[in-house]
Every structure is written in structure tokens, then in C-alpha cells.
């Protein structure tokens, strides 16, 4: 057995199943029995490459490929480069003379000061300050933005955005210049992730990728295609998210999946994002969770926290002033992995919180988890316990991310 197996005392196939089963729980939550599963433009490509397809966010998505296990796939991304199909995500363009002002009302981000072709993590908030969705906003110009939101929140997000867009365009502010929403239906979105992602992509383009720092975007010529490329990703590694017109998606996927690139599915995507300490909608964040307790206050610039006029602003300022009743934390769990829903126990065997995500970490060889606990019990080094299959296991509060990010900042 590998060192990782020895640490956990389990066989490789079983440890891979731990993560896969956790992903399937999430997949079942997003899948709807009454509606047929949608397919990205790469469905046939996945099947031809031996993908095991599972329901996720209303789509049939690859969990893993061929006989490459989840842990091996995970490690390949950490050490080399992997390619993910994230074409189920919702890609949209916002255009109009007051697009900046509209999006600064719709979200708590400061977009007027954001340089062109720069991206920011943002949030869609309800009036109570709860998180409708997390999103990436890329500014192309003062009147043009590219926005990516989660597939599992598609109907809720689009209904909310369209409602607020109509409200804005009928307001005095909107009459200065209406804003239009264009949903990029059926467009492809590929994430090339890992320490060798840049060198591989550089071999396909004359564009100097050293100019493209983390959080920046550009239209990049790639072997005859002119594609929107944003440097960032969900794994904690250096990488790129590449938006592709529907007619070109499969050809670009073939181009980007040659050696040493390995096709990578949802199983590895989930374990990579958890090691990177990133939230998964429906696990760590939802409409009853605010950015303060979720540890996402940093996405709201200071001036916006103090005086910004955005949806949910009053609730956010109240959360900041009064402090949250609970906090999102990282945990190292001894003995056995804790899964979503496991109870977190504090002093005196008091139930103080719940695990939202948990796996055996392939990179660290330890059981890691995220969850929420009562405010005050969230500090680094605090010893707690987690109820894993009716047995209390020692758990220590650990700073996030579990694995240091390797983003390219120049």
C-alpha cells in the first residue's frame, strides 16, 4: 500500500469510493427525477474517452475516466495538468451604459474600480443577506461584463437576475442606459488546471501567458481559435478557464487533452476544491448563510461594507456589526473521514455545529473537513470531536486552505 493508504488504513479502491460517494450525495441533491438530464457539448467526447457519467446539477457529467482512479486523477492535477469540463456552468454577458452600476447593486462587488479584463469572486445576495449564489465577474469594459454562475442554481439565478434587471431598467438609474443580459447557451467552458497548465497552453499560442496574472482575462489565439481565457480556477493550482463557442467546443477539448493533460472528472474536482478550502453551493453556502459566517466577507471591499448600496447591504452591515453566531472552519479529523451532516461536538459533549464537506485528503494523507461551529470555537488549534458513524473522533480546527494555493501572480 502507498503511504497514503497506510496513514488511513484503507485500500485504494475504498478510499476513492469515499470521495466518489460524497460527490454522488451532492449529485443526487441537484438531480431532478422529473426532468431528463441535460448534456454539455462534450457528452459524446466524454463517453468516447471512457467516462463514467453521473447526474450533477441537472446534467450528465463525468465522475471519472476509464480505470484512472479518483486519487490518481487528483494527484495528476496537483503535480501536472488536468482538463475539466465545466460547460454546465451558466455563462452570461451584461451590456449597457449602466452595466457597472447595475452589477454594483446586484452584487456587493466594487466594479467601477476594477481594471478592464480583471475578474473578481462575487456573490448574489437576497434581501436578508443570504447567498443566492457565488459567481465570478470579469470586467471587459465599463459597459460590458462576463459573468459565470453555478449550474445547480441556474433557474433561481436567472429568475432573480431578470427580475432585478427589469426593476433596474424601469428605474431612474436604468433610464440613463438600459442593461441587457445575454445568456451564452450551449457554450463550452473548459478548466485547464495544474502546475504544468501554463507551459502546455503556451505551446499552443503566441500570446505571452506571463502577462496573464491570476484574476486576469484576455482573448487568446489558440491554434487558430480566438478564445476568452481567464487565469484562475477551483483547484488552488495555477490554471485557466476557457470559454468556447458551441461549434468549436469538441475540437478545442481534443486540442487541450493531449499528453501530459489528463481528463479529470467530478470526483477529483471535489477533493481538489475541498483541499483548496473553497465553498460548494448547497454544502458550505446557501440562502440561509451569509458571507460573514461563511468567511467570505473579504469579497466585499471595505468601502462597500460601510456605504455600498447593494441588495442585502443592511443585513450584511448588521452581520458585521453584531458578529455571526457561527463560523465556517476547517478540521483535521482522526481515524475516519467525516461526511456532510456529521455532528461536531464541543466541550461537555455539546453539539456545536455540523460538517458540510469531508474527505480523506489525497495530498495530505489526512482526513479533512469543513463545517460550521459556534462562534468562539472556531480558532486555530481548538480541539473538538466529530460524530462519525456513532463514534466520536478527535478533530482539530485547522486554517483554510488545507493545501497552499499556487496561483500565478507574476
Amino acid at each position: 500500500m502507498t503511504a497514503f493508504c497506510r496513514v488511513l488504513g484503507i485500500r485504494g479502491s475504498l478510499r476513492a469510493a469515499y470521495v466518489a460517494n460524497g460527490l454522488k450525495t451532492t449529485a443526487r441533491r441537484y438531480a431532478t427525477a422529473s426532468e431528463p438530464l441535460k448534456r454539455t457539448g462534450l457528452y459524446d467526447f466524454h463517453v468516447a474517452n471512457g467516462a463514467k457519467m453521473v447526474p450533477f446539477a441537472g446534467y450528465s457529467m463525468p465522475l471519472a475516466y476509464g480505470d484512472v482512479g479518483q486519487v490518481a486523477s487528483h494527484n495528476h492535477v496537483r503535480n501536472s495538468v488536468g482538463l475539466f469540463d465545466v460547460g454546465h456552468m451558466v455563462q452570461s454577458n451584461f451590456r449597457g451604459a449602466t452595466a457597472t452600476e447595475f452589477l454594483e447593486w446586484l452584487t456587493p462587488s466594487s466594479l467601477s474600480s476594477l481594471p478592464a479584463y480583471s475578474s473578481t469572486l462575487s456573490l448574489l445576495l437576497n434581501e436578508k443577506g443570504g447567498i443566492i449564489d457565488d459567481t465570478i465577474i470579469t470586467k471587459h469594459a465599463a459597459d460590458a461584463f462576463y459573468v459565470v454562475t453555478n449550474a445547480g442554481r441556474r433557474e433561481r439565478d436567472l429568475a432573480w437576475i431578470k427580475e432585478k434587471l427589469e426593476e433596474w431598467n424601469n428605474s431612474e438609474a436604468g433610464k440613463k442606459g438600459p442593461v441587457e443580459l445575454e445568456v451564452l447557451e450551449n457554450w463550452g467552458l473548459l478548466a485547464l488546471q495544474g502546475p504544468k497548465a501554463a507551459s502546455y497552453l503556451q505551446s499552443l499560442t503566441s500570446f505571452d501567458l506571463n502577462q496573464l496574472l491570476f484574476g486576469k482575462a484576455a482573448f487568446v489565439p489558440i491554434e487558430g481559435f480566438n478564445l476568452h481565457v481567464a487565469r484562475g480556477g477551483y483547484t488552488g493550482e495555477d490554471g485557466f478557464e476557457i470559454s468556447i463557442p458551441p461549434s468549436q467546443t469538441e475540437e478545442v477539448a481534443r486540442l487541450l487533452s493531449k499528453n501530459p493533460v489528463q481528463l479529470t472528472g467530478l470526483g477529483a474536482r471535489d477533493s481538489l476544491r475541498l483541499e483548496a478550502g473553497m465553498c460548494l453551493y448547497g454544502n458550505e453556502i446557501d440562502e440561509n448563510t451569509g458571507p460573514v459566517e461563511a468567511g467570505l466577507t473579504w469579497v466585499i471591499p471595505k468601502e462597500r461594507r460601510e456605504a455600498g448600496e447593494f441588495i442585502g447591504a443592511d443585513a450584511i452591515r448588521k452581520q458585521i456589526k453584531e458578529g455571526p453566531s457561527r463560523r465556517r472552519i476547517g478540521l483535521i479529523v482522526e481515524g475516519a473521514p467525516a461526511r456532510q451532516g456529521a455532528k461536531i461536538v464541543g466541550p461537555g459533549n455539546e453539539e456545536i455545529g455540523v460538517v458540510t464537506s469531508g474527505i480523506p485528503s489525497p495530498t495530505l494523507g489526512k482526513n479533512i473537513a469543513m463545517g460550521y461551529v459556534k462562534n468562539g470555537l472556531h480558532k486555530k488549534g481548538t480541539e473538538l470531536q466529530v460524530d462519525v458513524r456513532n463514534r466520536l473522533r478527535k478533530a482539530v480546527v485547522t486554517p483554510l486552505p488545507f493545501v497552499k494555493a499556487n496561483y500565478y501572480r507574476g
Side-chain angles (χ1 to χ4, degrees), residues 73-86 190-197 214 231-241 264-279 363 401-408:
S73 188
H74 173 114
N75 288 337
H76 190 82
V77 175
R78 282 276 179 256
N79 296 302
S80 184
V81 54
L83 185 69
F84 301 80
D85 177 12
V86 287
L190 290 169
L192 189 71
Q193 297 282 296
K196 295 184 181 179
F214 175 77
R231 197 158 198 164
Y234 199 48
T235 64
E237 295 296 334
D238 184 22
F240 307 87
E241 294 195 345
T264 315
L266 290 170
R269 181 171 179 256
D270 193 56
S271 55
L272 288 160
R273 73 92 194 169
L274 184 47
E275 287 186 346
M278 296 187 182
C279 298
T363 303
F402 296 103
V403 175
K404 182 182 177 182
N406 291 310
Y407 301 129
Y408 177 72

Side-chain angles (χ1 to χ4, degrees), residues 116-119 138-140 207-209 211-213 215-222 226-231 241-243:
Y117 287 92
S118 296
S119 303
T138 302
K139 182 178 183 177
H140 289 165
F207 183 96
D208 182 5
L209 293 175
Q211 299 176 17
L212 199 64
L213 306 182
K216 299 293 183 179
F219 283 93
V220 175
I222 301 174
N226 189 41
L227 303 174
H228 186 272
V229 177
R231 197 158 198 164
E241 294 195 345
I242 304 165
S243 180

Side-chain angles (χ1 to χ4, degrees), residues 58-296:
Y59 281 78
S60 181
M61 296 295 291
L63 179 70
Y65 293 84
D67 59 358
V68 180
Q70 180 273 331
V71 171
S73 188
H74 173 114
N75 288 337
H76 190 82
V77 175
R78 282 276 179 256
N79 296 302
S80 184
V81 54
L83 185 69
F84 301 80
D85 177 12
V86 287
H88 59 313
M89 306 285 278
V90 184
Q91 302 176 69
S92 302
N93 286 323
F94 290 82
R95 300 188 186 93
T98 59
T100 297
E101 292 86 349
F102 169 69
L103 288 172
E104 286 190 332
W105 174 61
L106 187 71
T107 76
S109 295
S110 180
L111 302 173
S112 54
S113 60
L114 189 69
Y117 287 92
S118 296
S119 303
T120 182
L121 176 66
S122 191
L123 301 168
L124 295 177
L125 301 173
N126 60 32
E127 288 89 347
K128 296 180 179 180
I131 300 171
I132 296 174
D133 203 1
D134 56 331
T135 178
I136 298 289
I137 300 175
T138 302
K139 182 178 183 177
H140 289 165
D143 61 352
F145 293 83
Y146 166 71
V147 177
V148 179
T149 51
N150 285 305
R153 300 294 287 168
R154 180 187 177 96
E155 301 306 323
R156 170 64 167 134
D157 289 349
L158 291 180
W160 176 260
I161 291 169
K162 289 174 182 177
E163 174 190 332
K164 297 305 174 185
L165 195 59
E166 182 178 3
E167 186 179 336
W168 176 267
N169 285 337
N170 289 327
S171 71
E172 288 303 313
K175 288 176 182 176
K176 297 176 184 176
V179 179
E180 296 180 354
L181 165 67
E182 177 193 17
V183 180
L184 299 176
E185 299 287 3
N186 302 314
W187 276 55
L189 190 62
L190 290 169
L192 189 71
Q193 297 282 296
K196 295 184 181 179
S199 60
Y200 182 80
L201 189 60
Q202 189 65 78
S203 71
L204 303 175
T205 181
S206 59
F207 183 96
D208 182 5
L209 293 175
N210 288 322
Q211 299 176 17
L212 199 64
L213 306 182
F214 175 77
K216 299 293 183 179
F219 283 93
V220 175
I222 301 174
E223 293 286 293
F225 302 99
N226 189 41
L227 303 174
H228 186 272
V229 177
R231 197 158 198 164
Y234 199 48
T235 64
E237 295 296 334
D238 184 22
F240 307 87
E241 294 195 345
I242 304 165
S243 180
I244 314 163
S247 63
Q248 301 172 1
T249 302
E250 186 167 338
E251 192 172 351
V252 173
R254 287 198 298 269
L255 181 66
L256 293 177
S257 58
K258 298 175 182 177
N259 187 56
V261 180
Q262 191 175 88
L263 295 175
T264 315
L266 290 170
R269 181 171 179 256
D270 193 56
S271 55
L272 288 160
R273 73 92 194 169
L274 184 47
E275 287 186 346
M278 296 187 182
C279 298
L280 176 66
Y281 198 93
N283 285 41
E284 284 72 42
I285 51 177
D286 55 34
E287 291 207 44
N288 295 313
T289 303
V292 180
E293 60 193 319
L296 295 174

